[in-house]
Amino acid sequence: MTDQPGGFNALLAAWTAGPMLSIGLTLGAFIVAQWLFARLRRPLWLPPVMIAALLLATVVAASGLGFERYEAGARWLTVLLGPATVALGIPLYQQMHHIRALWRPIIVTLPLAASLAAIYALAIAWLMGAAPMVLASLAPKSVTAPIAMGITEELGGSVSLTLGGLLITGVLASLFVDGCARWLRITDDRIIGFALGLNGHAIGTARAFEISHTAGAFASLGMGLTGVFTALFLPLAFWMI
């Protein structure tokens, strides 16, 4: 019986020293965020991913765990981003019939919208005197996280800053697309969904699936094509500049 406290302390120390603490905190924050999101009647301005991020940041700061220690354990989760990037090919394949049927408007809107998403952010940051590292971090803010992280590392930016920009962009894009659709009286779920995926990446896509399956399908299409286009042309544009 005298060995139980020491054994428990040793088990607790081993559990907190490994990746399980960071993984448990991350999953726990997301589960709580989903519950709070439902209790708050699903506010568009406060998606579960933002609630989870705020909860997790509060716990990490208040507990004294520290970002470095949390990040070291959470690297096991970031390993999954590679397969997640490859998995984007699945919704693209599933929506291939939409690409064939609507290739003309897609060719016109996708390069223009994806380029503007990077240009206006870079222009505002540059006018405010942002450093090159900040510019490189904000450029892929409208791309889904797995691809955006790779682009940021290629450009020499900060992944942490990029992820913050992704979170804010996804929330604001969902708000503005919904508002503009009502103001312009756009009722076609294909247009709304494509705009949400193109501008709001995964957060916008989640919002699109709440509208309808068709909106979600076109949001997946917009998110995937935006990621591919930006990954190909953004590093080239930075190199030329």
Side-chain angles (χ1 to χ4, degrees), residues 47 49-50 53-54 57 67 121 134 136-145 148-149 152 157-173 199-201 203:
V49 65
M50 175 170 281
L54 294 174
F67 174 74
V134 177
S137 304
L138 294 178
K141 64 171 184 57
S142 293
V143 184
T144 187
M149 292 173 65
T152 299
S158 168
V159 172
S160 299
L161 184 56
T162 298
L163 293 177
L166 288 174
L167 182 60
I168 296 172
T169 299
V171 174
L172 292 180
N199 294 284
H201 48 82
I203 297 177

Side-chain angles (χ1 to χ4, degrees), residues 23-34 36 48 51-53 55-57 59:
I23 295 174
L25 287 175
T26 304
L27 296 178
F30 186 73
I31 292 172
V32 173
Q34 292 277 28
L36 288 174
I51 300 175
L55 288 174
L56 188 59
V59 171

Side-chain angles (χ1 to χ4, degrees), residues 27-216:
L27 296 178
F30 186 73
I31 292 172
V32 173
Q34 292 277 28
W35 179 80
L36 288 174
F37 182 64
R39 293 283 294 179
L40 295 172
R41 299 183 180 179
R42 301 179 177 274
L44 186 60
W45 55 272
L46 193 63
V49 65
M50 175 170 281
I51 300 175
L54 294 174
L55 288 174
L56 188 59
T58 302
V59 171
V60 170
S63 64
L65 178 65
F67 174 74
E68 292 77 13
R69 188 176 174 187
Y70 167 78
E71 185 185 28
R75 288 196 182 113
W76 289 89
L77 291 174
T78 59
V79 171
L80 299 175
L81 291 177
T85 305
V86 178
L88 289 175
I90 296 176
L92 283 178
Y93 174 77
Q94 292 175 335
Q95 306 307 320
M96 190 59 66
H97 58 291
H98 290 311
I99 297 177
R100 294 194 189 99
L102 300 170
W103 66 270
R104 288 185 180 88
I106 288 175
I107 286 179
V108 172
T109 57
L110 178 70
L112 180 61
S115 299
L116 286 175
I119 290 172
Y120 78 77
L122 292 174
I124 294 173
W126 179 75
L127 289 173
M128 296 181 69
M133 184 274 292
V134 177
L135 296 177
S137 304
L138 294 178
K141 64 171 184 57
S142 293
V143 184
T144 187
I147 298 178
M149 292 173 65
I151 296 174
T152 299
E153 292 174 350
E154 179 72 20
L155 299 179
S158 168
V159 172
S160 299
L161 184 56
T162 298
L163 293 177
L166 288 174
L167 182 60
I168 296 172
T169 299
V171 174
L172 292 180
S174 299
L175 286 171
F176 276 93
V177 170
D178 265 45
C180 288
R182 295 192 188 97
W183 181 52
L184 298 173
R185 298 182 181 178
I186 297 174
T187 57
D188 192 331
D189 286 351
R190 298 175 300 173
I191 299 175
I192 297 173
F194 192 74
L196 282 168
L198 196 154
N199 294 284
H201 48 82
I203 297 177
T205 301
R207 167 58 186 160
F209 273 107
E210 293 179 359
I211 298 174
S212 70
H213 180 75
T214 300

